[in-house]
Amino acid sequence: MKKPWAGRFRGKTSRVVESFTESVSFDYRLWRYDIEGSIAHAKMLGRQGIITGEESEKIITGLREISRDIENGKFTFKQDLEDIHMNVETALIKKIGDTGGKLHTARSRNDQVALDLRLYVRAETREIMSLIRAFQKTLLDAATKHLNTLMPGYTHLQRAQPVLLSHHLLAYTEMLDRDAERLNDSLKRTNQLPLGSCALAGTSLPVDRDYVAKQLGFEGISQNSIDAVSDRDFTIEFLSASAILIMHLSRLAEELVLWSSEEFRYTELPDAFTTGSSIMPQKKNPDVAELIRGKTGRIYGNLASLLTLMKGLPLSYNRDMQEDKPPLFDTVDTVKSCLIVLRDMFPGIRFNTERMRRTAGDAYSTATDIAEYLVRKGVPFRKAHGITGRIVLHCIEKKKRLEDLAIKELKAFSALIGKDIYDFLAPEESVKNKNSQGGTSLREVTKQIRRLRRVIGEKSVKRKE
Ligand code: ARG
């Protein structure tokens, strides 16, 4: 196949080089955006009189046909045509003749690939935002269901203080909220039109970049053509927001692995989302959660790949930048699959609420409540902490729980202790009293649920296109 740039060459490209330099095997995924961008460009060329209205229409009709061919699997992507851009352009010329050769007027593959990528990242960012919202909703439903389920809250993976399971789940909803915010924030920088920058210097032809931007739903246009063809910040921002997002999913996955172990026995994962062992018949493994945790490494790697790829590049476009796509596509696919599998698995998770409640009261988990009780009686906190520590030690020695102590035993540690202390020893009471903003009391957790439901409702992605 004759290459669009063959004019200046006498010899043929080596086969080895063709397969080494091609990108169509992966950038074919951009076809929809490539054609969408070309249609907007062709409209502008016709409108500006750079080509005739008739030529513009002919090109657009041809592009729409190619789009249908690709959709119906009737299009063959050719490796010797390098990339998606030259594949589409060559097919257009084949379809409509010489007029097809006018499409690439006032354009270069450098601004074209930047455009395609921005359209792709924009669409996938929106898609991922709505998957985040869907998963948040699932978490909120579970949180609403477990408003009365007590569990031990942990620090250092040691039982620390009783909390509501609901509160624990909502912590993830908060993380995901920041993730959606981060993606949304990056969108305004992604949503800028680079087309019209051409190879790097702009063009002498009378293009109307604002018109193209409007056609394609961009918020604005890039301001420096050299920057526009060199810039992959928007991709790096996307990969970075995705790395933080999957870090959160990985922490949740880790908890699901722990919680479904015999040691914890807090959750049972649904059969449809677990797998068996080929040798141990009794096993039910949390592979889905493990894989989410495992895939996190790749997502971090993809970010590191792109940062490294870009760091030494002189301005403006360099072919190195073609290597931005595999990590980008991989992050998009991986993050989406993790969100989908979590969204679908979560409603089927059974929480062993009885065991959670039982363990919530173990390990002297309400000791801090005794200290706060003493503070309310006027004891300085540091002293109250010391007294309570000695009470706990006494319990350990006598093999008693805090609530088993007689009032006489308690009074021996501080004369300020009265019978009302028993109101503070049960985990239910402990939780009920945590009324500080954002705390674990039912009142505060209900507020958090209400706020998050509103956030999700309000901020759920509005599709503009
Ligand atoms: N396939 C190329 C890429 O992904 C498209 C741009 C090629 N530009 C060039 N001047 N060779 O970066």
Side-chain angles (χ1 to χ4, degrees), residues 120-136 176 179-184 187 238-239 241-243 245-246 249 299 328-340 343 461 463:
Y120 171 81
V121 170
R122 183 179 76 180
E124 294 297 349
T125 300
R126 287 177 179 157
E127 179 75 22
I128 290 170
M129 280 171 66
S130 55
L131 285 173
I132 291 176
R133 294 309 188 198
F135 180 43
Q136 277 183 303
L176 290 166
D179 291 322
E181 282 281 322
R182 246 184 297 278
L183 286 167
N184 193 39
L187 263 185
F238 171 79
L239 293 182
S242 299
L245 163 64
I246 203 158
L249 301 184
I299 301 306
L328 170 63
F329 294 155
D330 182 58
T331 287
V332 165
D333 295 342
T334 307
V335 164
K336 277 162 75 175
S337 66
C338 289
L339 283 166
I340 288 169
R343 178 200 64 194
V461 195
R463 288 193 168 269

Side-chain angles (χ1 to χ4, degrees), residues 174-192:
E174 290 287 344
M175 295 174 219
L176 290 166
D177 198 42
R178 293 194 293 276
D179 291 322
E181 282 281 322
R182 246 184 297 278
L183 286 167
N184 193 39
D185 185 61
S186 72
L187 263 185
K188 61 174 179 273
R189 283 175 294 280
T190 303
N191 207 12
Q192 302 288 329

